[in-house]
Amino acid sequence: MSKVPDSDRDSISAARAREKPSRLARHRKREARLRKRLVIGLLIILVAALTIGTVVDLPAINFPRRAWNWLLERVASSGGSGGEELPEYLFQTHPQTGKRLEGGVSVLLGVTGKPDEEGPGELLSLVLFTLLPGQGGLEVYLVPEVLMTYDASGNPVRLRECLWGDKGTDLLRSTVENLSGTEVHYLLLCDFREAVRVMQALELPPVVLEEDARFRNPLTGETQTVFAGQRISDADRLLCHLLATDRSDYWDGYLHRVERLKEFLPRALETLSARTGGVVPEGFPGEEGGMTLVPGTGSEARDASYLVSMLQAAVTAAGREIPCRGIPRVDVLNGCGVPDLGRKVGERLADMGVPLGETGKNAKVVVNGEEVNDFSHQESLIICRSADPRALAFARYLGVQLSVKEVREEVGPGAEVVVIAGRDMAS
């Protein structure tokens, strides 16, 4: 057996010496990769949890939203960044995204009755307030809570019952947006007792009744008789007066709500402006959980600041004209000659919670200068004769409810919204 030369022996030893560190390095690299993957996995889980918490607003893991709101507050208190003009009122900054709301900001106020064991109470009233910062303006639109909508499963539900189902606040906001043509930026829910307490805190002006009235308390069902010429200033009867609980017929009461709010709101804002100088009195809003703001900030104190800013903006409308409207009555005309079709379609609209005007007339057309019946309509159509964008939005809402494809805008005299019933509605 031949002897390995010393030079070869040294080369083999050097190669083995290099091999050992190489294996150790590979082992360490594998461990480093495992640690890196573990850290990345934990980060992904953490980011996913925080994202879900932020989107769904889970109190335990919505840290990013709270941190963002905190940052917005710090920026606002320091005078903003980059010299950008700050919003005039707090509510002009979206409470969750921090985005500035441009133009008019609409707040849908819903007054609810007594809650049951399973959830919130039935909606007693819906009023859409549109605040116009910078213009000192305010617009008011009363929405009937008896109007029909459809939930995510396609089941019919009245607006007053929206809050009972899943995602009820979303359904309520989207329906009011569709029928009013106005984006609802905030939904403010206030139960009847809290509404009374707020009215007491604001010390609103009294009302002198022009006729005898029997006001019914929506929570207890009890009635109070008030005689003509008597001043009512206690908050519960004042609220019942504005809700027109003294009227047994719904649509009669709804029209009275519009007129009473149109007369009372300017006086109320003037009183607040004169007495407080635009500073909201203490006690508004309350801290008893009777008010809910959607979308909210995640903080009751912060939500209260938003509500105060809304009232402050409304007070600036004192002394100005405040448009106060409700949805229009709907006329139904027979457009195909089927006997009694207008009345039948009117009954269908009434079941949907729509206020009716005339239902017994025929559609007309002028021939050789003479007006004659027009029974040529195979398909129904809806005509909006008002220049008010909200009337047109309501006409389109009716089109969806009745499956009417054609909705025309023809400004002119007569009823604001007219349904011409074609032969398709007779089948």
Side-chain angles (χ1 to χ4, degrees):
M1 182 173 171
S2 61
K3 184 177 180 180
V4 178
D6 291 341
S7 59
D8 293 344
R9 190 182 299 113
D10 292 341
S11 299
I12 294 173
S13 298
R16 290 175 177 174
R18 287 193 302 270
E19 183 180 4
K20 290 180 179 179
S22 177
R23 290 178 178 175
L24 181 60
R26 287 197 299 271
H27 177 69
R28 288 177 177 174
K29 286 182 180 179
R30 283 196 299 270
E31 288 185 339
R33 284 197 297 269
L34 289 175
R35 286 195 297 269
K36 185 177 180 180
R37 290 173 181 172
L38 179 60
V39 170
I40 292 175
L42 291 175
L43 286 175
I44 292 174
I45 294 174
L46 178 60
V47 169
L50 292 176
T51 300
I52 294 173
T54 301
V55 173
V56 185
D57 195 16
L58 298 178
I61 53 177
N62 67 349
F63 169 75
R65 178 176 295 176
R66 294 196 301 269
W68 177 247
N69 289 334
W70 177 88
L71 179 60
L72 288 177
E73 292 178 8
R74 300 288 80 75
V75 171
S77 63
S78 64
S81 61
E84 182 180 352
E85 183 182 356
L86 292 176
E88 186 176 0
Y89 296 101
L90 182 60
F91 66 83
Q92 290 178 273
T93 301
H94 191 283
Q96 294 178 359
T97 66
K99 180 182 178 181
R100 178 168 179 171
L101 303 177
E102 301 290 346
V105 178
S106 293
V107 183
L108 178 62
L109 170 63
V111 178
T112 62
K114 183 179 180 181
D116 56 27
E117 296 180 356
E118 298 181 356
E122 184 178 80
L123 283 162
L124 303 176
S125 177
L126 286 169
V127 186
L128 184 64
F129 296 92
T130 300
L131 304 165
L132 303 168
Q135 305 175 30
L138 176 64
E139 296 179 356
V140 183
Y141 190 66
L142 275 73
V143 179
E145 65 278 2
V146 297
L147 287 177
M148 192 72 71
T149 186
Y150 294 89
D151 61 19
S153 301
N155 299 317
V157 57
R158 297 199 184 275
L159 291 184
R160 64 188 177 193
E161 302 166 356
C162 272
L163 301 179
W164 295 350
D166 293 336
K167 298 184 178 180
T169 57
D170 292 339
L171 177 61
L172 179 60
R173 290 176 65 183
S174 62
T175 302
V176 172
E177 287 179 341
N178 290 334
L179 66 88
S180 68
T182 304
E183 181 179 0
V184 177
H185 297 93
Y186 296 96
L187 171 62
L188 175 58
L189 297 175
C190 180
D191 64 47
F192 184 85
R193 287 192 177 91
E194 181 65 7
V196 170
R197 199 203 63 74
V198 168
M199 293 181 71
Q200 287 174 334
L202 296 179
E203 299 179 7
L204 299 178
V207 169
V208 178
L209 295 187
E210 297 180 355
E211 59 184 6
D212 295 350
R214 288 176 58 85
F215 295 116
R216 178 181 54 83
N217 187 308
L219 301 185
T220 64
E222 298 178 352
T223 59
Q224 294 183 348
T225 301
V226 184
F227 299 102
Q230 184 174 345
R231 292 162 57 93
I232 55 172
S233 56
D234 47 317
D236 58 341
R237 285 192 295 181
L238 188 55
L239 181 57
C240 287
H241 169 76
L242 295 176
L243 294 178
T245 65
D246 55 316
R247 300 286 168 170
S248 57
D249 178 76
Y250 177 82
W251 288 113
D252 180 44
Y254 174 77
L255 293 176
H256 274 77
R257 285 189 205 176
V258 176
E259 294 304 316
R260 289 174 181 179
L261 191 58
K262 183 186 299 184
E263 188 275 334
F264 180 77
L265 187 57
R267 293 197 300 112
L269 295 180
E270 288 177 3
T271 299
L272 287 174
S273 178
R275 190 176 70 244
T276 67
V279 178
V280 177
E282 294 183 2
F284 174 84
E287 299 179 355
E288 300 178 4
M291 280 190 175
T292 303
L293 183 66
V294 182
T297 65
S299 163
E300 290 186 3
R302 184 74 169 166
D303 284 355
S305 297
Y306 267 71
L307 297 179
V308 167
S309 70
M310 293 173 186
L311 182 58
Q312 288 173 333
V315 170
T316 63
R320 300 171 180 264
E321 181 181 357
I322 302 175
C324 185
R325 299 185 294 272
I327 65 171
R329 291 185 179 274
V330 178
D331 280 2
V332 182
L333 303 179
N334 189 331
C336 64
V338 175
D340 219 17
L341 180 60
R343 182 186 61 80
K344 293 178 181 178
V345 174
E347 290 176 351
R348 180 180 172 187
L349 287 171
D351 289 339
M352 294 163 47
V354 176
L356 293 178
E358 294 281 355
T359 61
K361 295 183 177 181
N362 297 325
K364 300 291 184 179
V365 64
V366 177
V367 178
N368 297 326
E370 183 179 355
E371 192 176 62
V372 298
N373 291 333
D374 179 13
F375 293 146
S376 63
H377 296 274
Q378 297 297 315
E379 294 187 353
S380 303
L381 67 92
I382 298 176
I383 300 175
C384 177
R385 293 177 176 158
S386 172
D388 184 356
R390 287 178 173 170
L392 179 59
F394 182 65
R396 289 170 175 163
Y397 160 84
L398 285 182
V400 174
Q401 298 291 310
L402 294 172
S403 299
V404 174
K405 298 178 182 178
E406 186 177 2
V407 178
R408 297 180 186 172
E409 184 180 9
E410 298 179 357
V411 178
E416 291 183 272
V417 177
V418 178
V419 175
I420 299 181
R423 193 164 295 278
D424 57 337
M425 284 192 179
S427 58

